[in-house]
Amino acid sequence: MFDTTASKKAAIVALKEAGFSNRAVAEKENVAPSTVSRISNRYGPTHHFDAKTSRPGCPRKIDDRDIRTALRMLTSGQAKNVTDLQRRFFPHLHVDTIKASFREHGLGAYVRQSK
């Protein structure tokens, strides 16, 4: 999947407003007809082709501010590990959610190898 450029979005909306069908616009712009429909519905009324609209999906359970707070708690010694952190400061989250958010920010744990 790739992002459609603003100029291609503008061309698609202009062709749709000129009265062309989704299939005809798709053939001219070398995109799928569903892409034409999605772009004309999303950007047609506003003509803000550079604007990023919200994407569907679940909202994040932990944001960057919570992650910074969790890191501060771990580094200062207020929490011994992620399980302790979850019990004391984030009871509404699962431990795996906290670990996954750390991994997303490049803070994964490692297992010490015995010699």
Side-chain angles (χ1 to χ4, degrees), residues 16 20-34 36-37:
K16 280 296 290 179
F20 287 95
S21 68
N22 286 350
R23 184 174 290 168
V25 174
E27 289 174 3
K28 287 184 183 227
E29 293 297 323
N30 197 24
V31 294
S34 60
V36 173
S37 175

Side-chain angles (χ1 to χ4, degrees), residues 17 35 38-39 53 55 60 74 77 112:
E17 288 176 349
T35 303
R38 179 180 45 81
I39 288 175
T53 57
R55 300 287 185 189
R60 296 186 63 84
L74 284 172
R112 184 175 176 202

Side-chain angles (χ1 to χ4, degrees), residues 46-100:
T46 62
H47 291 273
H48 292 135
F49 303 113
D50 289 330
K52 293 286 184 183
T53 57
S54 63
R55 300 287 185 189
C58 288
R60 296 186 63 84
K61 294 184 183 213
I62 185 168
D63 58 0
D64 290 338
R65 184 177 181 183
D66 288 336
I67 293 169
R68 287 192 305 268
T69 302
L71 286 173
R72 190 169 44 252
M73 300 301 167
L74 284 172
T75 55
S76 68
Q78 292 181 357
K80 296 177 186 174
N81 52 27
V82 176
T83 305
D84 185 34
L85 182 74
Q86 182 267 336
R87 283 188 197 132
R88 296 175 64 197
F89 301 106
F90 300 104
H92 61 284
L93 296 176
H94 194 271
V95 174
D96 293 339
T97 304
I98 298 170
K99 287 180 184 178

